[in-house]
Amino acid sequence: MTDIVPDLEYDDADEVLALGETPCELPSIGALAKALGEHGIELPVDVARRLAEDHGAEGDQFAGRPATGLLAAMSTVYAGPEQAARIEAALTGQETAPVGEHRG
């Protein structure tokens, strides 16, 4: 998230939470907010707004990007069935859930 919060700094003593480490793991802003909430963290409204703006500008550009096939192959073996289906849909450019919705 350092590209969203550029002044974010931490050292080895700080606790760092990693979420959404594989493609399509967090398919929407709602899914991100829910995952953070499960750890007692509220997604700031301004960050959610900036993510929505970024998505509006970039969309779902997983299909056809460099190395996406490799990333998908490496990730799918660790993904559950729903995430694997989202990865496959993203690779083929099929419709995915709207950015604010949570799937699964």
Side-chain angles (χ1 to χ4, degrees):
M1 242 177 144
T2 57
D3 58 330
I4 295 172
V5 187
D7 296 329
L8 181 67
E9 293 183 19
Y10 63 92
D11 60 33
D12 291 340
D14 293 325
E15 183 176 336
V16 176
L17 175 65
L19 296 170
E21 298 173 318
T22 58
C24 305
E25 185 176 346
L26 297 171
S28 67
I29 296 169
L32 172 62
K34 181 180 179 193
L36 289 171
E38 291 170 356
H39 295 278
I41 301 168
E42 185 175 335
L43 179 64
V45 173
D46 61 321
V47 172
R49 178 189 53 77
R50 289 178 66 187
L51 288 170
E53 289 171 359
D54 286 349
H55 186 270
E58 293 191 22
D60 294 321
Q61 297 182 15
F62 190 68
R65 294 185 89 174
T68 55
L70 177 61
L71 286 170
M74 292 170 42
S75 302
T76 304
V77 295
Y78 301 105
E82 290 181 24
Q83 182 184 355
R86 288 191 300 265
I87 291 170
E88 180 61 30
L91 280 173
T92 59
Q94 295 175 7
E95 185 69 26
T96 58
V99 73
E101 285 188 14
H102 170 66
R103 286 185 164 185

